Amino acid sequence: MTRSVVVIGAGMGGLASAARLSALGHDVTVIEKEASVGGKARRVTVDGELIEAGPTVFTMRDVYDGIFRGCGERLEDHVTVRRAEVLARHAWGSDHPGGAGRLDLFADPLRSEAAIGDFAGREAALGYRRFRAATRRMHDILDEPMMRGDNVSSPLPLLWRIGLHRLDAFAAMRPHTNMWKALAEFFPDPRLRQLFGRYATYCGSSPFAAPATLMLIAHVEARGVWLIEGGIHSLARALHTVCAARGVTFRFGTAVSEIEVANGRASGVRLVDGSRIGADAVICNADPNALATGQLGEGAMRAVRALPAQKRSLSAMVWFAHAQTDGFDMTHHNVVFSPDYGREFAEIADGRIPSDPSVYVCAQDRSARQERGPEITGRERLQIIVNAPANGDTHTYSSEEIEQCTRAMTRRLARCGLTLERDMPSQVASPTDWNRLYPATGGALYGRASHGSAASFLRQGQRTRLPGLYCAGGATHPSAGVPMAALSGLLAAKTASADLTSMRRSIRAGIPGGISMRSAKTGSMG
């Protein structure tokens, strides 16, 4: 029997849920307040050019291959994807205590090892070899039990999944060791500690407060970074196409004002225009704090715990630019590091934009141009990111603050040889803007920060306290990021479908000979 599910939000988690639920035969409606799919995987127009304005790193391709395959499709038939030979280019200025330099990491780990040896010496190369082995083991231990499995609220259930006899495996994850301290065991060179410590920021966390377990992100990236023609937004559009072909209904440009509750469970949603859609289950692809703070009605407020502001992940100051560059041969992903990483994160923890920040630059046209030849001329599309505190709900970033941060960003890039065009066409998004786009977050882009040994067990899971209401997205289990958001959506779909099946069986068992009727959808559907 078909059951009806409403998905709130057409981000990557919501799209993954809709794809899986439709493949399982459920009747799915997706409600999206914006005019298009993607959620954080959005685009903005600058100087007449579409610029990717969301996540830019695509790893764990197998997750999306599985989603498309489950719908009878192939990923490569919908988007053009190719493996990046250079994972990222990294640079340090002459004011760095470790000295100036540049270092590429490659898809081929042996090339990376050789490059590290040339950059920092033989001992550093051997340290990288040991680091690769340690992070591979962390990944292999946690991939199925934690990253692709249902969330757990304490170490004991995780130990059970791993195998209670494998206490050595739990110790290998190093949950009680600080990430920055653990990196020193592999990399005496402070520049390499910065490089690999930056992986904590992939889930919005500080390497000085995150557990060493997060080092496994380096192994995830080393397994493959993929470049998608048109960026991550094109992947979202491809998922939309596949879902629509399977009968999923999409309603764009309208928002949910309330999750309705009847008989102690979620029973549908009411939209801002007053219409309602009944459902047997609701999946919320939004930051869980939106539920806890009443953004989706009083009935759902107690479904999840509110997240204290001090537990939020990082936000960001982001420039979307169409600019001419000079002096630095960029690849697609580029990172320029500050000379004092500790001060940088201390300033963020104190609620301030870093005075001398590390800077990430996604040069979105580099891959295609480099295929045509070495000559890079004219303006190019850039997304430039500086980490920032998630205080956009309590602090309005003024034009003076944004200009001050812009000067600090351009100074740091110039220290490493990268010059941006003066008065470049650009838009800037501050934590204030991110909080407006994603209410109740303060601009936090990754949900809860992964700080402390218990962080992974405190992340919101797919089930909530309200039966029939489920969570999906980068702010829920298993973590933030493009593949993790999809995994969260798959887990939400799996959990909701199992519960609906169980509920159907209970009804049939409780009322022998009764007729199960499909839940009606009422109100405007236009």
Side-chain angles (χ1 to χ4, degrees):
M1 182 184 71
T2 301
R3 311 293 287 193
S4 61
V5 183
V6 166
V7 178
I8 304 172
M12 304 309 281
L15 291 168
S17 286
R20 180 57 51 88
L21 286 166
S22 66
L24 292 171
H26 298 292
D27 184 7
V28 185
T29 299
V30 179
I31 310 297
E32 172 54 56
K33 63 184 177 66
E34 302 296 332
S36 182
V37 296
K40 291 187 177 76
R42 46 199 285 274
R43 287 173 173 165
V44 298
T45 302
V46 176
D47 195 29
E49 297 287 335
L50 282 173
I51 297 176
E52 290 296 307
T56 60
V57 180
F58 182 44
T59 59
M60 297 176 68
R61 173 182 165 166
D62 65 291
V63 173
Y64 285 88
D65 280 329
I67 294 172
F68 281 84
R69 190 166 52 247
C71 294
E73 303 279 349
R74 297 194 314 162
L75 173 66
E76 57 268 33
D77 290 338
H78 292 268
V79 290
T80 301
V81 186
R82 63 185 181 81
R83 197 182 189 101
E85 292 306 314
V86 178
L87 302 183
R89 181 157 293 158
H90 311 85
W92 296 262
S94 59
D95 58 342
H96 196 283
R102 295 185 187 181
L103 174 63
D104 288 355
L105 292 184
F106 298 95
D108 179 353
L110 295 182
R111 285 187 71 189
S112 293
E113 184 177 316
I116 288 171
D118 292 340
F119 177 77
R122 181 175 179 274
E123 289 303 314
L126 293 175
Y128 176 66
R129 189 181 299 177
R130 291 188 292 109
F131 178 75
R132 279 176 48 215
T135 56
R136 183 191 306 115
R137 189 175 186 214
M138 286 179 176
H139 173 271
D140 291 348
I141 290 168
L142 287 178
D143 187 30
E144 289 295 334
M146 190 74 173
M147 293 162 62
R148 299 175 194 256
D150 298 338
N151 70 304
V152 293
S153 57
S154 70
L156 189 58
L158 180 59
L159 267 175
W160 183 267
R161 289 181 188 175
I162 293 171
L164 287 173
H165 63 287
R166 298 184 61 197
L167 295 176
D168 63 318
F170 190 77
M173 295 184 298
R174 308 186 70 172
H176 303 295
T177 304
N178 173 283
M179 183 179 185
W180 189 256
K181 181 179 177 181
L183 286 168
E185 300 171 21
F186 302 97
F187 306 112
D189 190 306
R191 297 169 299 178
L192 295 177
R193 287 203 297 278
Q194 271 188 309
L195 191 161
F196 292 103
R198 191 182 76 88
Y199 286 109
T201 67
Y202 279 37
C203 56
S205 305
S206 163
F208 299 94
T213 313
L214 291 192
M215 295 190 304
L216 69 82
I217 300 172
H219 177 72
V220 171
E221 188 169 279
R223 292 176 70 218
V225 172
W226 302 86
L227 303 176
I228 301 176
E229 190 173 301
I232 304 297
H233 183 76
S234 293
L235 178 61
R237 292 171 68 90
L239 282 172
H240 170 234
T241 298
V242 169
C243 287
R246 295 197 64 87
V248 175
T249 299
F250 284 85
R251 295 193 60 180
F252 294 109
T254 186
V256 171
S257 61
E258 179 184 4
I259 295 172
E260 296 193 324
V261 180
N263 300 318
R265 63 178 291 113
S267 60
V269 297
R270 187 171 296 277
L271 307 184
V272 291
D273 64 5
S275 62
R276 68 173 298 274
I277 302 173
D280 297 305
V282 175
I283 294 177
C284 181
N285 177 209
D287 193 294
N289 219 38
L291 291 169
T293 55
Q295 303 288 321
L296 295 169
E298 291 186 6
M301 284 183 67
R302 295 181 181 84
V304 301
R305 290 186 177 90
L307 181 67
Q310 65 270 23
K311 301 294 184 182
R312 290 172 179 166
S313 68
L314 295 171
S315 185
M317 194 74 75
V318 187
W319 294 260
F320 311 112
H322 191 224
Q324 198 145 3
T325 66
D326 189 44
F328 188 101
D329 183 20
M330 290 191 290
T331 185
H332 195 85
H333 302 293
N334 310 270
V335 187
V336 168
F337 286 103
S338 70
D340 191 339
Y341 222 31
R343 182 178 70 179
E344 187 176 338
F345 282 95
E347 288 174 340
I348 293 173
D350 198 38
R352 293 178 287 152
I353 298 287
S355 55
D356 188 3
S358 297
V359 185
Y360 165 77
V361 182
C362 178
Q364 297 174 13
D365 296 316
R366 285 281 163 156
S367 304
R369 290 189 183 189
Q370 286 166 349
E371 284 182 352
R372 293 197 296 264
E375 190 73 18
I376 304 293
T377 60
R379 284 177 169 164
E380 56 187 313
R381 297 173 303 146
L382 305 173
Q383 184 186 148
I384 306 169
I385 301 177
V386 164
N387 291 321
N391 57 0
D393 53 345
T394 58
H395 179 76
T396 300
Y397 283 81
S398 66
S399 57
E400 291 80 8
E401 285 176 291
I402 292 172
E403 178 57 31
Q404 182 180 8
C405 187
T406 301
R407 288 195 299 269
M409 176 269 289
T410 54
R411 279 197 308 268
R412 177 46 45 197
L413 293 180
R415 282 273 194 178
C416 295
L418 176 57
T419 303
L420 299 177
E421 174 186 354
R422 278 181 73 101
D423 302 320
M424 61 186 181
S426 65
Q427 293 181 23
V428 185
S430 72
T432 305
D433 299 306
W434 296 123
N435 182 68
R436 185 165 54 249
L437 280 170
Y438 313 114
T441 65
L445 296 173
Y446 314 86
R448 173 187 283 270
S450 297
H451 293 163
S453 59
S456 297
F457 306 115
L458 298 174
R459 202 168 185 86
Q460 173 61 43
Q462 276 62 49
R463 275 199 179 87
T464 71
R465 295 169 174 171
L466 178 64
L469 175 62
Y470 307 86
C471 285
T476 65
H477 172 81
S479 189
V482 177
M484 296 300 178
L487 284 173
S488 80
L490 295 176
L491 287 169
K494 172 187 171 184
T495 305
S497 186
D499 289 351
L500 290 172
T501 300
S502 175
M503 184 175 70
R504 181 180 66 200
R505 288 172 179 166
S506 297
I507 291 172
R508 285 178 174 174
I511 313 175
I515 300 175
S516 296
M517 298 195 64
R518 178 176 173 177
S519 296
K521 291 185 179 181
T522 60
S524 171
M525 292 295 291

